[in-house]
Amino acid sequence: MSLIFFACVVRVRDGLPLSASTDFHFNQDFLECRKRLKALSSALARYPSRGTAKGRNLSIHFLSSGDVACMAICSSSYSTIMAFCFLEELRWEFSASYDTTSINLASRPYAFIEFDNIIQKVKFHFNSTRGSRAKANWEKVEEELKFQPPVQLKLEDTELLNGMTNGGHSGVHVEVVPTYRMQPVTPLGILSLVLNIMCGALNLIRGVHLAEYSFQEDHEGIGNVIAFFVPFLACVFQCYLYLFYTSGRKVKTFVLLFCVCFCNIHLYGLRNLWQIAFHMGVASLSSYQILTRQLLEKQPDCGV
């Protein structure tokens, strides 16, 4: 029978198990495959983001993304495409439940064992599916695997990995880039970007002109120069935060908004109230757009 027997989530840099399904099979093949999965998990940083270790009866599939990797033991007859659909589903569920900081701070095995409930639910969903698959989603995943095929290992070869890791031999490290997908850019978001670029340019131009005067004649005006350059940098970082996902976005957004507001208040006299209100309004609009543009909740479920 084609099934997913076991799944787990591990930390890529050291193979620390973060969570795993708690149902166990006690036949010898499965227990041996578990040992090889543990050895492979400690060497995931050496491999690309997708990989498969094939055995006669059981196979191990893994999918790495950023700090974590999802791994599964499946019957060898189980579809490789479906196995990676399953791992992709787990990855998105785990990313939605835990942030990068908590993952990096985990110091004991199975620190997120409560995630087992999600693993069991997704595993049951994939194992019990009998309906037809959505052709478009199936073809999309198949095309991705053709474009970036998983690295192929022999299950027997994973026995060597544990010795290599403990012996300190270094393998080729392949950097795994997180593939976060954010919601589409909205027209209001585009407007906030344009206004932010305009405000940043105004701050830079005013700051450069004031700097030329201050360095030559009025050395007490250095504070005002800084008050122009800080909002310029804040505008640049606000554009970056809107376009790209980073950890701690909320804190960074409020810090940037505070910098813009504080500096513009400091510039009262060099700017009138309407100009200050305009700059603070643009910064507030950009902050709102950053906070409301979130990650996509989940990937397509590949028709299962």
Side-chain angles (χ1 to χ4, degrees):
M1 180 181 292
S2 298
L3 288 174
I4 302 167
F5 293 107
F6 175 80
C8 64
V9 182
V10 303
R11 191 164 59 193
V12 171
R13 73 169 187 261
D14 55 7
L16 180 74
L18 302 175
S19 188
S21 55
T22 52
D23 53 336
F24 295 103
H25 306 271
F26 295 100
N27 64 73
Q28 191 59 37
D29 284 347
F30 178 79
L31 295 177
E32 190 64 29
C33 196
R34 279 289 308 275
K35 292 180 183 178
R36 290 168 176 170
L37 180 143
K38 183 178 179 180
L40 179 60
S41 67
S42 64
L44 286 175
R46 305 177 185 189
Y47 296 106
S49 58
R50 289 189 180 102
T52 296
K54 283 281 188 181
R56 187 178 64 178
N57 298 318
L58 297 174
S59 296
I60 300 172
H61 304 277
F62 64 85
L63 174 67
S64 303
S65 178
D67 299 310
V68 299
C70 296
M71 307 181 73
I73 296 177
C74 308
S75 57
S76 293
S77 58
Y78 193 71
S79 165
T80 300
I81 298 175
M82 291 303 294
F84 281 106
C85 286
F86 167 73
L87 294 175
E88 195 73 41
E89 183 87 4
L90 277 191
R91 181 177 70 86
W92 276 94
E93 293 286 356
F94 192 83
S95 298
S97 302
Y98 307 102
D99 59 25
T100 303
T101 302
S102 60
I103 293 170
N104 289 331
L105 291 177
S107 58
R108 58 185 176 84
Y110 305 107
F112 310 114
I113 192 61
E114 68 278 0
F115 187 70
D116 168 56
N117 294 328
I118 303 296
I119 296 177
Q120 297 287 17
K121 185 187 299 183
V122 177
K123 184 159 70 73
F124 175 81
H125 182 55
F126 274 74
N127 282 340
S128 62
T129 298
R130 294 293 179 267
S132 60
R133 302 182 180 94
K135 184 177 180 182
N137 291 337
W138 176 269
E139 290 180 348
K140 178 177 179 294
V141 175
E142 188 176 29
E143 191 65 28
E144 287 180 356
L145 292 179
K146 287 180 180 178
F147 179 73
Q148 187 183 5
V151 62
Q152 297 294 321
L153 305 171
K154 290 183 179 180
L155 198 57
E156 293 76 12
D157 293 342
T158 57
E159 292 180 349
L160 302 175
L161 293 174
N162 198 31
M164 290 176 64
T165 302
N166 294 334
H169 298 290
S170 59
V172 178
H173 177 76
V174 180
E175 185 70 20
V176 180
V177 180
T179 54
Y180 296 112
R181 295 186 183 181
M182 301 188 71
Q183 294 173 348
V185 175
T186 62
L188 190 59
I190 295 174
L191 175 63
S192 73
L193 287 174
V194 172
L195 292 175
N196 228 338
I197 294 171
M198 183 175 71
C199 288
L202 291 173
N203 286 318
L204 180 61
I205 293 170
R206 290 289 303 275
V208 169
H209 286 309
L210 187 61
E212 292 176 351
Y213 171 76
S214 298
F215 289 134
Q216 293 175 3
E217 300 183 22
D218 181 17
H219 296 287
E220 295 181 356
I222 300 299
N224 292 331
V225 174
I226 296 174
F228 276 114
F229 283 142
V230 169
F232 160 70
L233 295 174
C235 289
V236 173
F237 282 117
Q238 280 189 322
C239 291
Y240 179 85
L241 286 178
Y242 179 72
L243 293 173
F244 305 102
Y245 177 82
T246 63
S247 59
R249 294 175 78 227
K250 184 177 293 187
V251 174
K252 294 174 183 176
T253 300
F254 283 117
V255 169
L256 293 175
L257 177 61
F258 173 79
C259 290
V260 172
C261 294
F262 180 80
C263 290
N264 274 279
I265 292 173
H266 177 79
L267 290 171
Y268 179 66
L270 294 177
R271 279 180 171 160
N272 59 41
L273 289 176
W274 288 108
Q275 291 172 326
I276 293 173
F278 173 74
H279 282 267
M280 293 172 64
V282 171
S284 300
L285 174 63
S286 297
S287 299
Y288 174 76
Q289 290 300 307
I290 292 169
L291 296 175
T292 53
R293 188 178 185 224
Q294 301 294 328
L295 289 173
L296 289 175
E297 292 185 358
K298 63 188 296 186
Q299 291 275 61
D301 63 2
C302 304
V304 299

